[in-house]
Amino acid sequence: MILLPAIDLYEGKVVRLTRGDYGNMTVYRDDPAAQAAEFQAAGAAWLHTVDLEGARDGGTPNFEVIRQICRSTGLKVEIGGGIRSLDTIARYLDAGVERVILGTQAVTDPEFLEAAVRRFGAQAAVGVDLKDGAIAIRGWKETAPEPAEQFFARLCALGVRTVICTDVSRDGMLGGTNVALYRALSQQFDLDLIASGGVSSMEDLQRLKEIGLYGAILGKALYTGALELRRALREVE
């Protein structure tokens, strides 16, 4: 199982939200590239990044920050938030990003999703954010009408390989991850699932590894010290 330390970006700074609430934001660092370098020094190979402004409003206001991280580290970077055109995907990949995460647009525009997978293959991942069982979109401010299980089945049919699945209710809460959710999804769908939201202990990571999950994202737990990245990488990867 791979571990992906996370950097969420807002106005060029490293921040974390609680349950996706933009009004409940904590700024942890002013220099995202320095934070990424520290994750790399601890042994990380991957970095999960989210442009929170892009997720909420569209666009790529933190694009240059992502480009700088790609240029200054050897990390394999995945980016989500505001990616709503094929040109934007190409621009990120040209900047050195390893994998883009399609969110709102993947849910609301089936033709766009199909075109992205056809053109970019495994470099086009999909983010599925679940809020009370429904798919949350547009920075978790709205929910989609399509049932979650139907959407997951559609992803498999299209040939999507990697899905980052977030339980919004657990995000930023440090209360443990939703192992039951990920177990059920991994049994039902042939996807490389990455768990996001609430991963806060070595026990969480071991349980996710035991069910054969592809990866897990480490966010707030790293910034509060609840998890130590070097140890987590050593014991889990």
Side-chain angles (χ1 to χ4, degrees), residues 127-136 147-149 152 163-171 176-189 191 193-199 207-208 211-213 215:
V128 183
D129 302 333
L130 298 177
K131 189 174 185 178
D132 299 324
I135 302 172
E149 286 195 6
F152 276 106
V163 171
I164 295 86
C165 184
T166 302
D167 181 343
V168 175
S169 70
R170 307 282 183 119
D171 189 66
T177 193
N178 193 339
V179 177
L181 169 68
Y182 300 118
R183 179 185 291 110
L185 291 173
S186 63
Q187 290 174 348
Q188 191 170 357
F189 302 105
L191 295 163
L193 284 172
I194 297 177
S196 173
V199 179
R207 291 174 70 195
L208 291 172
I211 64 175
L213 224 60

Side-chain angles (χ1 to χ4, degrees), residues 153-231:
R154 183 152 64 89
L155 296 181
C156 291
L158 284 174
V160 171
R161 188 66 256 156
T162 305
V163 171
I164 295 86
C165 184
T166 302
D167 181 343
V168 175
S169 70
R170 307 282 183 119
D171 189 66
M173 297 302 291
L174 297 178
T177 193
N178 193 339
V179 177
L181 169 68
Y182 300 118
R183 179 185 291 110
L185 291 173
S186 63
Q187 290 174 348
Q188 191 170 357
F189 302 105
D190 182 20
L191 295 163
D192 288 340
L193 284 172
I194 297 177
S196 173
V199 179
S200 55
S201 67
M202 290 304 303
E203 182 183 3
D204 281 338
L205 292 175
Q206 293 295 350
R207 291 174 70 195
L208 291 172
K209 183 177 180 179
E210 286 170 6
I211 64 175
L213 224 60
Y214 168 68
I217 292 170
L218 308 181
K220 192 172 184 177
L222 294 179
Y223 295 99
T224 63
L227 275 173
E228 198 272 312
L229 181 58
R230 193 180 301 274
R231 179 193 170 199

